[in-house]
Amino acid sequence: MADILTLGIAQIALEPELRQNLAKMNIMIRQAKLKQCRAVLFPEAALTCSPDTLKIEIDLGLQALARSARENGIYVAFGYLDRASDESQLFNSIKVFDPQGEEILHYDKMWTVKKGSSPKLFEIDGVSFGAIICADRWLRGIEDVPAFCGAKVLVEFANNFADEWLPDQEWFWYRPRAVRNGVFSVFVNTAQHANYRDHAHLV
């Protein structure tokens, strides 16, 4: 297990097109590598796409991020919008690639997909992590059970930009999560453009 683990938290502002977000993510992966981060974490829906994006375009974007992880020798964890087919609705998912570009976690947001099992733990240099996609924090099987199974770090990937801080309660989800479970609690959120929620395909 690593004694020191440096994580890059990429608080990305989303663009409406996949190619725009992919370009920004590739730049940030390289920046994280130059800053000697072992992993870079992007928020929910970081690889956002427009509603008419074909499934093959999404898959090619995922392949490009796997290649970027391999070329930079760094773990890359990120949220993205996926779909089962060109006719189906978009939904939120998470992937984690290791420094060889191999997938070590795939997790569909259960709040929208409403099926499947809770996400498994994944490791970064021997340190166990648990992943939470935004509203799935209300499911104890996703938020707390990973700590019972040995996770040392719980990461929430969100797309809420201005809604996660309350002045009178501060970080009201994340600090209690750390204390309750005896783990490190990491929060990675979008840093959004004004009025971006006018894009209805973000769910």
Side-chain angles (χ1 to χ4, degrees), residues 70-90:
R70 183 175 64 252
E71 290 174 349
N72 288 283
I74 190 173
Y75 292 85
V76 178
F78 60 95
Y80 69 103
L81 294 184
D82 202 357
R83 64 188 346 143
S85 69
D86 292 341
E87 292 75 32
S88 64
Q89 295 293 315
L90 292 164

Side-chain angles (χ1 to χ4, degrees), residues 106-181:
H106 173 88
Y107 153 35
D108 296 329
K109 186 177 183 179
M110 297 180 75
W111 180 256
T112 49
V113 175
K114 294 182 172 59
K115 64 179 181 179
S117 57
S118 297
K120 297 179 181 179
L121 302 185
F122 65 97
E123 289 191 355
I124 296 178
D125 289 352
V127 179
S128 294
F129 282 66
I132 305 161
I133 305 177
C134 199
D136 284 356
R137 61 189 168 205
W138 296 330
L139 305 173
R140 287 290 174 249
I142 293 180
E143 183 177 42
D144 292 337
V145 169
F148 303 152
C149 295
K152 302 301 182 186
V153 185
L154 300 180
V155 183
E156 181 172 332
F157 301 82
N159 175 29
N160 286 332
F161 53 107
D163 298 340
E164 296 296 331
W165 168 269
L166 296 180
D168 57 339
Q169 298 184 45
E170 300 183 342
W171 298 109
F172 60 104
W173 288 107
Y174 317 103
R175 187 172 293 165
R177 180 180 298 152
V179 174
R180 183 173 68 246
N181 292 293

Side-chain angles (χ1 to χ4, degrees), residues 11-15 159-162 190-194 196-197 202:
Q11 308 285 91
I12 189 172
L14 306 185
E15 305 293 343
N159 175 29
N160 286 332
F161 53 107
T190 45
Q192 217 53 292
H193 299 303
Y196 192 82
R197 283 191 170 170
L202 287 179

